mmCIF file of all heavy atoms in Angstrom:
data_model
loop_
_atom_site.group_PDB
_atom_site.id
_atom_site.type_symbol
_atom_site.label_atom_id
_atom_site.label_comp_id
_atom_site.label_asym_id
_atom_site.label_seq_id
_atom_site.Cartn_x
_atom_site.Cartn_y
_atom_site.Cartn_z
ATOM 1 N N GLY A 297 40.264 13.598 -178.380
ATOM 2 C CA GLY A 297 39.261 13.767 -179.427
ATOM 3 C C GLY A 297 38.629 15.098 -179.350
ATOM 4 O O GLY A 297 39.044 16.000 -178.448
ATOM 5 N N THR A 298 37.611 15.249 -180.157
ATOM 6 C CA THR A 298 36.982 16.647 -180.316
ATOM 7 C C THR A 298 36.395 17.029 -178.923
ATOM 8 O O THR A 298 36.585 18.153 -178.639
ATOM 9 C CB THR A 298 35.900 16.570 -181.381
ATOM 10 O OG1 THR A 298 36.479 16.122 -182.703
ATOM 11 C CG2 THR A 298 35.195 17.970 -181.541
ATOM 12 N N ARG A 299 35.673 16.179 -178.336
ATOM 13 C CA ARG A 299 34.945 16.588 -177.037
ATOM 14 C C ARG A 299 35.961 16.872 -175.946
ATOM 15 O O ARG A 299 35.678 17.846 -175.299
ATOM 16 C CB ARG A 299 33.981 15.472 -176.590
ATOM 17 C CG ARG A 299 32.916 15.209 -177.611
ATOM 18 C CD ARG A 299 31.967 16.413 -177.757
ATOM 19 N NE ARG A 299 30.820 16.098 -178.649
ATOM 20 C CZ ARG A 299 30.886 16.192 -180.031
ATOM 21 N NH1 ARG A 299 31.912 16.540 -180.575
ATOM 22 N NH2 ARG A 299 29.802 16.025 -180.680
ATOM 23 N N VAL A 300 36.841 16.107 -175.886
ATOM 24 C CA VAL A 300 37.936 16.390 -174.778
ATOM 25 C C VAL A 300 38.795 17.671 -175.054
ATOM 26 O O VAL A 300 38.921 18.485 -174.168
ATOM 27 C CB VAL A 300 38.863 15.107 -174.659
ATOM 28 C CG1 VAL A 300 40.145 15.487 -173.677
ATOM 29 C CG2 VAL A 300 38.134 13.950 -174.141
ATOM 30 N N LEU A 301 39.060 17.856 -176.425
ATOM 31 C CA LEU A 301 39.803 19.008 -176.709
ATOM 32 C C LEU A 301 38.982 20.245 -176.575
ATOM 33 O O LEU A 301 39.440 21.334 -176.046
ATOM 34 C CB LEU A 301 40.188 18.889 -178.292
ATOM 35 C CG LEU A 301 40.866 20.154 -178.830
ATOM 36 C CD1 LEU A 301 42.247 20.522 -178.055
ATOM 37 C CD2 LEU A 301 41.079 19.970 -180.320
ATOM 38 N N ALA A 302 37.641 20.243 -176.899
ATOM 39 C CA ALA A 302 36.815 21.264 -176.728
ATOM 40 C C ALA A 302 36.736 21.674 -175.191
ATOM 41 O O ALA A 302 36.668 22.825 -174.792
ATOM 42 C CB ALA A 302 35.468 21.064 -177.272
ATOM 43 N N THR A 303 36.525 20.634 -174.267
ATOM 44 C CA THR A 303 36.588 20.928 -172.944
ATOM 45 C C THR A 303 37.809 21.563 -172.368
ATOM 46 O O THR A 303 37.876 22.516 -171.510
ATOM 47 C CB THR A 303 36.196 19.671 -172.122
ATOM 48 O OG1 THR A 303 34.921 19.100 -172.693
ATOM 49 C CG2 THR A 303 36.049 19.841 -170.607
ATOM 50 N N LEU A 304 38.980 21.014 -172.846
ATOM 51 C CA LEU A 304 40.292 21.540 -172.491
ATOM 52 C C LEU A 304 40.471 22.928 -172.735
ATOM 53 O O LEU A 304 40.949 23.822 -171.994
ATOM 54 C CB LEU A 304 41.365 20.651 -173.033
ATOM 55 C CG LEU A 304 42.727 20.826 -172.485
ATOM 56 C CD1 LEU A 304 42.813 20.391 -170.992
ATOM 57 C CD2 LEU A 304 43.802 19.938 -173.113
ATOM 58 N N LEU A 305 40.092 23.328 -174.040
ATOM 59 C CA LEU A 305 40.314 24.732 -174.526
ATOM 60 C C LEU A 305 39.299 25.634 -173.860
ATOM 61 O O LEU A 305 39.516 26.736 -173.655
ATOM 62 C CB LEU A 305 40.217 24.608 -176.063
ATOM 63 C CG LEU A 305 41.350 24.029 -176.790
ATOM 64 C CD1 LEU A 305 41.002 24.040 -178.380
ATOM 65 C CD2 LEU A 305 42.751 24.700 -176.486
ATOM 66 N N ALA A 306 38.050 25.086 -173.669
ATOM 67 C CA ALA A 306 36.910 26.022 -173.145
ATOM 68 C C ALA A 306 37.152 26.299 -171.657
ATOM 69 O O ALA A 306 37.050 27.453 -171.256
ATOM 70 C CB ALA A 306 35.606 25.249 -173.305
ATOM 71 N N GLU A 307 37.427 25.280 -170.819
ATOM 72 C CA GLU A 307 37.636 25.493 -169.364
ATOM 73 C C GLU A 307 39.064 25.807 -168.991
ATOM 74 O O GLU A 307 39.119 26.237 -167.875
ATOM 75 C CB GLU A 307 37.036 24.251 -168.703
ATOM 76 C CG GLU A 307 35.660 23.895 -169.284
ATOM 77 C CD GLU A 307 34.514 24.804 -169.014
ATOM 78 O OE1 GLU A 307 34.842 25.749 -168.170
ATOM 79 O OE2 GLU A 307 33.566 24.718 -169.598
ATOM 80 N N GLY A 308 39.973 25.379 -169.681
ATOM 81 C CA GLY A 308 41.350 25.754 -169.276
ATOM 82 C C GLY A 308 42.137 26.611 -170.291
ATOM 83 O O GLY A 308 43.360 26.438 -170.266
ATOM 84 N N SER A 309 41.432 27.491 -170.841
ATOM 85 C CA SER A 309 42.113 28.296 -171.904
ATOM 86 C C SER A 309 43.129 29.122 -171.366
ATOM 87 O O SER A 309 44.183 29.272 -172.005
ATOM 88 C CB SER A 309 41.068 29.073 -172.569
ATOM 89 O OG SER A 309 40.338 29.898 -171.715
ATOM 90 N N ASP A 310 42.997 29.688 -170.051
ATOM 91 C CA ASP A 310 43.946 30.626 -169.508
ATOM 92 C C ASP A 310 45.231 29.791 -169.277
ATOM 93 O O ASP A 310 46.287 30.299 -169.529
ATOM 94 C CB ASP A 310 43.489 31.235 -168.305
ATOM 95 C CG ASP A 310 44.423 32.254 -167.700
ATOM 96 O OD1 ASP A 310 44.743 33.169 -168.382
ATOM 97 O OD2 ASP A 310 44.860 32.004 -166.490
ATOM 98 N N ALA A 311 45.126 28.596 -168.614
ATOM 99 C CA ALA A 311 46.378 27.801 -168.332
ATOM 100 C C ALA A 311 47.045 27.389 -169.617
ATOM 101 O O ALA A 311 48.214 27.178 -169.713
ATOM 102 C CB ALA A 311 45.949 26.665 -167.375
ATOM 103 N N VAL A 312 46.201 26.978 -170.551
ATOM 104 C CA VAL A 312 46.751 26.523 -171.820
ATOM 105 C C VAL A 312 47.612 27.672 -172.552
ATOM 106 O O VAL A 312 48.608 27.420 -172.981
ATOM 107 C CB VAL A 312 45.653 25.907 -172.806
ATOM 108 C CG1 VAL A 312 46.178 25.769 -174.099
ATOM 109 C CG2 VAL A 312 44.963 24.610 -172.108
ATOM 110 N N ARG A 313 46.987 28.863 -172.541
ATOM 111 C CA ARG A 313 47.709 29.986 -173.177
ATOM 112 C C ARG A 313 49.043 30.190 -172.434
ATOM 113 O O ARG A 313 49.895 30.604 -173.188
ATOM 114 C CB ARG A 313 46.644 31.181 -173.096
ATOM 115 C CG ARG A 313 47.426 32.389 -173.759
ATOM 116 C CD ARG A 313 46.461 33.584 -173.696
ATOM 117 N NE ARG A 313 46.227 34.119 -172.499
ATOM 118 C CZ ARG A 313 45.058 33.958 -171.823
ATOM 119 N NH1 ARG A 313 44.019 33.340 -172.424
ATOM 120 N NH2 ARG A 313 44.905 34.461 -170.537
ATOM 121 N N ARG A 314 49.007 30.077 -171.073
ATOM 122 C CA ARG A 314 50.366 30.248 -170.344
ATOM 123 C C ARG A 314 51.140 29.105 -170.367
ATOM 124 O O ARG A 314 52.338 29.108 -169.798
ATOM 125 C CB ARG A 314 49.995 30.737 -168.907
ATOM 126 C CG ARG A 314 49.336 32.046 -168.798
ATOM 127 C CD ARG A 314 49.082 32.569 -167.400
ATOM 128 N NE ARG A 314 47.871 31.770 -166.847
ATOM 129 C CZ ARG A 314 47.960 30.912 -165.782
ATOM 130 N NH1 ARG A 314 49.176 30.640 -165.430
ATOM 131 N NH2 ARG A 314 46.872 30.257 -165.306
ATOM 132 N N ARG A 315 50.723 27.903 -170.954
ATOM 133 C CA ARG A 315 51.510 26.687 -170.924
ATOM 134 C C ARG A 315 51.871 26.306 -169.436
ATOM 135 O O ARG A 315 53.070 25.912 -169.091
ATOM 136 C CB ARG A 315 52.856 26.831 -171.750
ATOM 137 C CG ARG A 315 52.655 26.721 -173.161
ATOM 138 C CD ARG A 315 52.011 27.963 -173.830
ATOM 139 N NE ARG A 315 52.104 28.012 -175.145
ATOM 140 C CZ ARG A 315 51.061 28.084 -176.061
ATOM 141 N NH1 ARG A 315 49.902 28.009 -175.529
ATOM 142 N NH2 ARG A 315 51.311 28.139 -177.477
ATOM 143 N N ASP A 316 50.867 26.458 -168.550
ATOM 144 C CA ASP A 316 51.152 26.311 -167.135
ATOM 145 C C ASP A 316 50.767 24.927 -166.860
ATOM 146 O O ASP A 316 49.490 24.644 -166.461
ATOM 147 C CB ASP A 316 50.370 27.310 -166.314
ATOM 148 C CG ASP A 316 50.753 27.376 -164.833
ATOM 149 O OD1 ASP A 316 51.373 26.509 -164.327
ATOM 150 O OD2 ASP A 316 50.512 28.464 -164.211
ATOM 151 N N HIS A 317 51.725 23.968 -166.606
ATOM 152 C CA HIS A 317 51.368 22.654 -166.267
ATOM 153 C C HIS A 317 50.850 22.544 -164.785
ATOM 154 O O HIS A 317 49.944 21.758 -164.553
ATOM 155 C CB HIS A 317 52.663 21.811 -166.359
ATOM 156 C CG HIS A 317 52.552 20.337 -165.920
ATOM 157 N ND1 HIS A 317 53.307 19.840 -164.983
ATOM 158 C CD2 HIS A 317 51.542 19.494 -166.247
ATOM 159 C CE1 HIS A 317 52.931 18.531 -164.732
ATOM 160 N NE2 HIS A 317 51.843 18.307 -165.537
ATOM 161 N N GLY A 318 51.403 23.319 -163.941
ATOM 162 C CA GLY A 318 51.005 23.383 -162.525
ATOM 163 C C GLY A 318 49.605 23.621 -162.436
ATOM 164 O O GLY A 318 48.820 23.034 -161.714
ATOM 165 N N ALA A 319 49.195 24.676 -163.137
ATOM 166 C CA ALA A 319 47.814 25.078 -163.082
ATOM 167 C C ALA A 319 46.806 24.150 -163.623
ATOM 168 O O ALA A 319 45.791 23.756 -163.118
ATOM 169 C CB ALA A 319 47.560 26.504 -163.720
ATOM 170 N N LEU A 320 47.130 23.656 -164.827
ATOM 171 C CA LEU A 320 46.492 22.604 -165.487
ATOM 172 C C LEU A 320 46.252 21.295 -164.573
ATOM 173 O O LEU A 320 45.039 20.890 -164.535
ATOM 174 C CB LEU A 320 47.081 22.223 -166.880
ATOM 175 C CG LEU A 320 46.727 22.991 -168.058
ATOM 176 C CD1 LEU A 320 47.404 22.599 -169.276
ATOM 177 C CD2 LEU A 320 45.148 22.942 -168.296
ATOM 178 N N ARG A 321 47.292 20.829 -163.984
ATOM 179 C CA ARG A 321 47.083 19.652 -163.198
ATOM 180 C C ARG A 321 46.263 19.775 -161.975
ATOM 181 O O ARG A 321 45.606 19.006 -161.506
ATOM 182 C CB ARG A 321 48.497 18.975 -162.850
ATOM 183 C CG ARG A 321 49.350 19.865 -161.923
ATOM 184 C CD ARG A 321 50.799 19.483 -162.002
ATOM 185 N NE ARG A 321 51.035 18.115 -161.604
ATOM 186 C CZ ARG A 321 51.494 17.681 -160.401
ATOM 187 N NH1 ARG A 321 51.767 18.533 -159.562
ATOM 188 N NH2 ARG A 321 51.570 16.354 -160.230
ATOM 189 N N CYS A 322 46.260 21.097 -161.402
ATOM 190 C CA CYS A 322 45.369 21.298 -160.355
ATOM 191 C C CYS A 322 43.912 21.474 -160.747
ATOM 192 O O CYS A 322 43.091 20.927 -160.078
ATOM 193 C CB CYS A 322 45.857 22.548 -159.584
ATOM 194 S SG CYS A 322 47.398 22.492 -158.666
ATOM 195 N N LEU A 323 43.710 22.140 -161.923
ATOM 196 C CA LEU A 323 42.273 22.327 -162.390
ATOM 197 C C LEU A 323 41.788 20.991 -162.761
ATOM 198 O O LEU A 323 40.496 20.750 -162.671
ATOM 199 C CB LEU A 323 42.355 23.137 -163.730
ATOM 200 C CG LEU A 323 42.507 24.805 -163.313
ATOM 201 C CD1 LEU A 323 42.760 25.447 -164.733
ATOM 202 C CD2 LEU A 323 41.380 25.249 -162.629
ATOM 203 N N CYS A 324 42.623 20.041 -163.299
ATOM 204 C CA CYS A 324 42.127 18.742 -163.682
ATOM 205 C C CYS A 324 42.017 17.736 -162.707
ATOM 206 O O CYS A 324 41.508 16.626 -162.836
ATOM 207 C CB CYS A 324 42.948 18.194 -164.900
ATOM 208 S SG CYS A 324 43.016 19.315 -166.408
ATOM 209 N N GLY A 325 42.624 18.079 -161.545
ATOM 210 C CA GLY A 325 42.367 17.217 -160.401
ATOM 211 C C GLY A 325 43.327 16.095 -160.313
ATOM 212 O O GLY A 325 43.213 15.079 -159.580
ATOM 213 N N VAL A 326 44.613 16.119 -161.186
ATOM 214 C CA VAL A 326 45.489 15.025 -161.161
ATOM 215 C C VAL A 326 46.621 15.444 -160.211
ATOM 216 O O VAL A 326 47.420 14.451 -159.898
ATOM 217 C CB VAL A 326 46.054 14.854 -162.565
ATOM 218 C CG1 VAL A 326 44.966 14.506 -163.423
ATOM 219 C CG2 VAL A 326 46.751 16.037 -163.108
ATOM 220 N N ALA A 327 46.740 16.554 -159.752
ATOM 221 C CA ALA A 327 47.798 16.949 -158.783
ATOM 222 C C ALA A 327 47.283 16.456 -157.398
ATOM 223 O O ALA A 327 46.293 16.803 -156.957
ATOM 224 C CB ALA A 327 48.164 18.414 -158.695
ATOM 225 N N PRO A 328 48.080 15.556 -156.633
ATOM 226 C CA PRO A 328 47.568 15.182 -155.284
ATOM 227 C C PRO A 328 47.821 16.232 -154.274
ATOM 228 O O PRO A 328 48.516 17.270 -154.488
ATOM 229 C CB PRO A 328 48.636 13.989 -154.951
ATOM 230 C CG PRO A 328 49.798 14.216 -155.819
ATOM 231 C CD PRO A 328 49.350 15.026 -157.104
ATOM 232 N N VAL A 329 47.203 16.057 -153.171
ATOM 233 C CA VAL A 329 47.234 16.987 -152.038
ATOM 234 C C VAL A 329 48.112 16.436 -150.875
ATOM 235 O O VAL A 329 47.731 15.226 -150.469
ATOM 236 C CB VAL A 329 45.826 17.361 -151.581
ATOM 237 C CG1 VAL A 329 45.911 18.300 -150.358
ATOM 238 C CG2 VAL A 329 45.071 18.047 -152.658
#
Side-chain angles (χ1 to χ4, degrees):
T298 301
R299 297 300 183 271
V300 173
L301 175 62
T303 305
L304 194 62
L305 291 175
E307 308 300 343
S309 58
D310 183 59
V312 169
R313 184 178 64 250
R314 292 184 285 110
R315 284 75 168 116
D316 192 340
H317 174 235
L320 270 178
R321 65 198 301 258
C322 290
L323 284 171
C324 298
V326 301
V329 176

